[in-house]
Every structure is written in C-alpha cells, then in structure tokens.
Amino acid sequence: MKVGIVGAGMVGSSAGYALVLMDIASEIVLVDMNEALAIAQAEDISHAVPFVSATVVRAGHYDDLAGCGVVILAAGVSQKPGETRLELLSRNAAVFRDVVGQVLRFAPDAILLVASNPVDIMTQVATRLSGLPPHKVIGSGTILDTARFRSLLGRHLEISPQSVHAYVLGEHGDSEVLGWSNARAGSVSLTSFAEQVGRPITEQVRAHIDDGVRNAAYKIINGKGSTYYGIGAGLARIVRAIAHDQRDVLSVSIVTARVEDVEDVALSVPRVVGAEGVLADLFPDLDTGEHAALQRSAAILKERAESIKF
C-alpha cells in the first residue's frame, strides 16, 4: 500500500519510520510546507530501509499523493508546555481547511488518518471538510492512551502488556475514561488476575496508573517538548490493520451517531478496523461511574466541535 504523510515534523516522521520498521507500506510520500524538512526526513528514514524492508520513502507534493490508500494528517502546530490539546483547536482547524482539500484533490479514495491535536475535534473537522463517510476519516484517538494503560497495568502485574486487554474511551485528553471495570489480563478479569498473582489493584495503584495515563503527555512535553514515538507506532499499527484488512479491534476516533445520549460526536471506543476503514463500533460494558464519565467526555467534545465555524 502507498501511504502519504502530510506534516513531516516529529509525529509524521516517527509514523513514517515506524511504517518502515514494520514493513507495512510499499511506498511512503512525505509532504510538508517546509520542503527541505520533508526531503531531509525522507532521506533519513530511507537510510533505515536496507536494514528492515524494501519500502520506497520520498518527499513530494500533494499531487504525489495520487494512489495512496491511506493519508496520515500530521500537519499543524505543536502543543506547547502547559497547553491542553483542546487549546490547540483554533490554530490547527485553520491548517486543516487547506490540507484536507488538497489531499482529496489528488487522493479522493484514500482513508484519512488524523493525528493532529486535539485529535477528536480535528477528526470531526476533517470529516466535515472532506464530506467523506465517517468510517473513512479515522482519528488516532485513544490508541496511545490505551497503550499507556496496558503498559502500566502490565508493569504492575509483571506480565507483558500485550496480555492486558483494557481500553481508554472518550477524548484523547483530559476527560478520557479508563475502562477499569471491563479490563482483563489473559482471559481473567483484571481484579481476579491481580489477586491470583499477588499484585492487587488497590486505590493507590489505580490512582498511580490513572495519573500515569492521563498526564503522560504533559510529563513528556515538559521534559522534551513533544511526544512522537508512541503515537508514531500507534499510527503505523492502524495503517497495518487497514493495509492487511486485519479487522483488528483498536480504540480509534470517528464521528459517531450517538454516544451516551450525545449525538454526532467524534471520540474513541473500541472499533473493528479493516481495509474499508472502521467496520463496526463496539461499546464495552461499563459501570455507572464510567458511563457518566464517558457522557461528560462526549459532551465536552461536542461543545468544542460546535464552536468551530466553517
């Protein structure tokens, strides 16, 4: 599959690098307003190719996106220290007005994969601007938050995070909802597994993991300016599900008709992802508190999205 990446900054280039390491794409085209940056990133990534794959990596312009099956939208301004993802809204919405039109002019059949923050609202913006059906405009959503959740649970339980099945729902941001009540390790409920291995999930443990998931981005941004490796790998994982029609269950964001009585809102729940984009939405069983938290998250995102004027 040919994959386009618009935005050759740290997120876009990390996604390109991950795609090469995972040998997913036959060709990757990097497009950026800063043409020198796109050329440099493509050249650097291409030097990793002989070690792992045969992917063609090059810089190009919007017309070079013709034939792409997926175009990753990583264009926009970076999150500043102390700035919430939602505060990025007005700055990045303006960028998308131009980008989406240019992409669809040359790659009208591509699935759009949104990485720019605030990602849920930018997914809603891209869906409106493109006129594409929601299942073909996918935000990375909480795929990274879910990975952080599983990583911290695996660390506590002293098992591989790949054996942890737990999801973060709602916004990729401050109102996200950790799905504790339906989390499992192997085929066993999280609580039962934790007790059996002598690593109980106490309130203190829950608070520590919640903080680790919810505030991970802020800690990383304060330390090095931005986050990119984790989301780069997450984006590559979504592309793999599409490229190979794997029909994987991933926590990604699309505009959803109704979530907790909130209509027409982009947020994350587990979804089946394959060659045609999102094939099905899966709403996990939640406890009362999690239902309320998800409703609040949806309402916040809905209010923010409605504030954008087109």
Side-chain angles (χ1 to χ4, degrees):
M1 173 183 281
K2 181 178 178 180
V3 176
I5 301 175
V6 180
M10 293 308 299
V11 171
S13 61
S14 294
Y17 184 55
L19 286 166
V20 165
L21 293 183
M22 296 167 69
D23 194 16
I24 294 168
S26 58
E27 181 180 357
I28 298 170
V29 179
L30 290 164
V31 178
D32 197 281
M33 288 184 63
N34 182 345
E35 188 173 355
L37 175 63
I39 292 171
Q41 297 284 33
E43 188 76 0
D44 195 11
I45 294 169
S46 70
H47 295 161
V49 169
F51 298 109
V52 291
S53 68
T55 307
V56 174
V57 185
R58 63 188 179 93
H61 301 94
Y62 283 109
D63 58 347
D64 293 300
L65 298 176
C68 285
V70 175
V71 176
I72 297 172
L73 304 182
V77 290
S78 298
Q79 189 174 5
K80 299 176 181 178
E83 181 180 39
T84 69
R85 296 180 183 94
L86 292 178
E87 287 171 342
L88 286 174
L89 174 57
S90 59
R91 295 196 293 147
N92 274 335
V95 173
F96 265 42
R97 288 185 176 92
D98 176 60
V99 169
V100 172
Q102 293 277 30
V103 169
L104 291 182
R105 179 183 173 191
F106 297 104
D109 298 322
I111 291 172
L112 303 183
L113 179 50
V114 181
S116 303
N117 274 321
V119 69
D120 302 293
I121 297 174
M122 298 314 299
T123 299
Q124 190 126 14
V125 167
T127 303
R128 291 182 189 175
L129 291 172
S130 68
L132 293 172
H135 71 272
K136 294 196 68 175
V137 184
I138 304 171
S140 57
T142 60
I143 194 167
L144 179 55
D145 309 276
T146 290
R148 290 166 174 160
F149 191 21
R150 294 178 180 183
S151 177
L152 290 171
L153 284 171
R155 191 178 303 171
H156 173 73
L157 298 172
E158 299 180 340
I159 62 172
S160 166
Q162 294 184 356
S163 294
V164 178
H165 309 289
Y167 294 94
V168 176
L169 315 174
E171 177 196 2
H172 171 56
D174 298 335
S175 71
E176 64 190 21
V177 182
L178 279 63
W180 287 97
S181 66
N182 56 69
R184 305 184 75 79
S187 61
V188 181
S189 72
L190 180 65
T191 302
S192 176
F193 187 100
E195 293 292 342
Q196 289 185 53
V197 299
R199 304 285 294 171
I201 306 292
T202 64
E203 287 302 315
Q204 184 177 7
V205 168
R206 283 181 61 129
H208 173 74
I209 291 175
D210 184 278
D211 177 72
V213 174
R214 198 175 300 278
N215 295 311
Y218 298 122
K219 293 175 183 177
I220 293 169
I221 289 167
N222 286 335
K224 67 173 191 174
S226 60
T227 68
Y228 36 87
Y229 293 132
I231 190 56
L235 290 164
R237 181 68 183 84
I238 298 168
V239 174
R240 188 173 76 181
I242 296 168
H244 299 312
D245 196 22
Q246 290 183 317
R247 304 188 176 220
D248 293 317
V249 177
L250 304 171
S251 57
V252 294
S253 180
I254 67 170
V255 174
T256 311
R258 190 179 185 87
V259 179
E260 299 289 347
D261 295 326
V262 179
E263 297 180 349
D264 189 36
V265 61
L267 49 61
S268 289
V269 297
R271 306 183 196 269
V272 180
V273 181
E276 297 302 314
V278 170
L279 306 177
D281 302 331
L282 304 172
F283 293 91
D285 295 327
L286 303 175
D287 64 25
T288 301
E290 290 164 350
H291 275 297
L294 184 56
Q295 196 282 334
R296 175 177 174 272
S297 185
I300 289 172
L301 289 168
K302 176 70 172 180
E303 180 182 0
R304 294 282 181 163
E306 287 184 338
S307 71
I308 307 170
K309 305 301 180 184
F310 291 91

